[in-house]
Amino acid sequence: MKYPVIKGTSYVLIHTPGLLLQQANLEGLPFSHLLTDQLRSFDSVAGYPPNQAFIGNLFPEDLPQIPRPWYNNSLPNAKRQGLLGEIFPEDEFLGLLHAVDVYGLVCLEAGFKLAVSEKLRSHPALSGLNGIATAQDNGCSHAEIQEIIKAGEALPLTFGGRIIGCIRKAHSSDSTLSASRVLENLTAKASAAAALQLLFRKTGLKPQDVDYIIETSEEACGDLRQKGGGSFAKSIAEACSCSNASGADTRAFCAAPVHALMQGAALVQSGIFENVVVVAGGCSAKLGLNAGIHLAHGMPVLEDLLGAFAFHISKDDGINPIVRTDLIGTMKVGCGDSPQQVYSSLVAEPLTRGGYKILDIDRYAAELVNPEIIEPTGCGDLAQKNYKMIASLAVLRREMDRTGIEEQIQRFGVPGFAPNQGHIPSGVPYIGPARDLILRNKVNQVMIIGKGSLFLGKLTRLYDAVSLIIQRNPKQKASVSI
Amino acid sequence: MDQENQAQIRALAEKYGDEELIAVLGSADPEMAVIAAETAAGSDPAFVDLFAEAQLGLKSYHIAELKEFIDHQVYLRHMEMMEMVLDIPGIIHEVSTVRKQFFPSEVSV
């Protein structure tokens, strides 16, 4: 069987303390005035070990060797650029937000706009973005911006504690087009566009060669009568000059990226399209989600980052790792929701179908949210909980003795390292490191697991999970560097 | 436990009476089990100020405490793996401590 391959990946983090404060104000959080003192600087965000792992300057497997708390153990000389991605500061993000806005809803102060446009025009990946390459409006005056905000027509945009712009509502009465919803949606679009531009830069994929884009964030774009109509995918394709591409959005809460990878792989394998991109931007509503708990623990506010990614799926090139489309694991509607049933259906069943055992997999990657962010909430280390279940399932299936559980978890469990951005940590942050390790003959096969809290939408009490296996290309002869 | 779930449980408790209902927990660790048991018994400790009047008044039992009441094959199908993973004695201790605290006259199962 000719399997599709993962031809390239890119990962983006965007430091957005201003957006975090905006979110806290929107939610009317009683402690929002306390947040400012606990916000991190860009340098401390760049040096934060899990962030360096996210952009590929460190393997996630190396994180447990770095003493906790990681926020007190910044890596010296950390760079914003990494092998797999890049960390962006907030001023560049605000410039991006303006660049991807095709309705004139984002107003930036003239001086700020000029400075940030210069930065973006000199960025090797972002300079090609529509709206940066092309000249737009000259910006607004501070007085104009203040007036629009005062009239209740817009929300302020800040940088370094100063109002440097605003984002307008897109309709006078439709709440689905309020300024806060426009901000959420343009945030997802802008961060996804940055990830796609970075993918082009890192892989050499040309925008005009992209056939189809699947967008997998958790935002809903539409109006009063079609609240989640979409399409983020085509808007991102347009922003990134993918003139030959079409696309659509896939939604499955945090499980969506793995569903989309499966769909993208199927589109390639069937011959419908040759080059498919799976992309997702970040979620502004999740910024500072647990800020109150972090403050109570005397921690910095760690949920100050948007995440984004882009993956290129293409036909077999004899080099890149393959997606085993014949070994997809799902959580079927009738499978029940006890962990034993879920992991049997999700992990054991596809492996058995392929003649593999649980312990044949070199790495499992599930719920990769950075434990330092969520442990104070009482949730524990979500990734490790998944691996404990998988190891226990191996015991139940008599693949090993229960005394071996901890050792196997150490061997196959990818530690959590991703920002708490819902769909972003859901297994897929490890695709980049996995591709690297597989190409360098260090690892043979990896299972990526996406899980989603479908019940949050109140249409069902189900949750969801989907798994796929990425494997060394059988035709790959020598070790390859990415 | 989110506020909507608490509201649903409260509505059920009001409709059927506290004596006719128990909360069955599936929490994976003692700490989470305590939070859920305290929420079902009294008010949510995370929202104490907001929900001071929300007394659900329900006794909680972890599913592992109810093993003897469940068909053995059904229990194995759902819980055999979890018994390997969970700190069952720790969870039972914590949940029963919450029951004793909120319902001093409770008879153990």
Side-chain angles (χ1 to χ4, degrees), chain A residues 5-24:
Chain A
V5 299
I6 304 282
K7 213 163 178 180
T9 66
S10 79
Y11 294 97
V12 160
L13 292 173
I14 305 172
H15 181 226
T16 49
L19 218 53
L20 186 158
L21 291 172
Q22 174 76 273
Q23 188 62 33

Side-chain angles (χ1 to χ4, degrees), chain A residues 45-116:
Chain A
V45 162
Y48 187 55
N51 296 346
Q52 285 293 307
F54 196 81
I55 60 166
N57 287 338
L58 185 72
F59 279 104
E61 290 90 332
D62 296 332
L63 280 173
Q65 275 81 57
I66 301 173
R68 300 260 305 262
W70 289 322
Y71 55 79
N72 282 344
N73 286 289
S74 267
L75 298 178
N77 307 317
K79 293 196 172 80
R80 63 177 267 186
Q81 296 91 357
L83 180 70
L84 303 175
E86 184 164 344
I87 307 171
F88 292 89
E90 190 157 34
D91 59 339
E92 292 175 29
F93 167 73
L94 293 166
L96 271 174
L97 205 62
H98 182 267
V100 302
D101 164 32
V102 291
Y103 277 86
L105 301 170
V106 177
C107 309
L108 296 180
E109 204 180 277
F112 178 83
K113 185 183 173 298
L114 190 69
V116 79

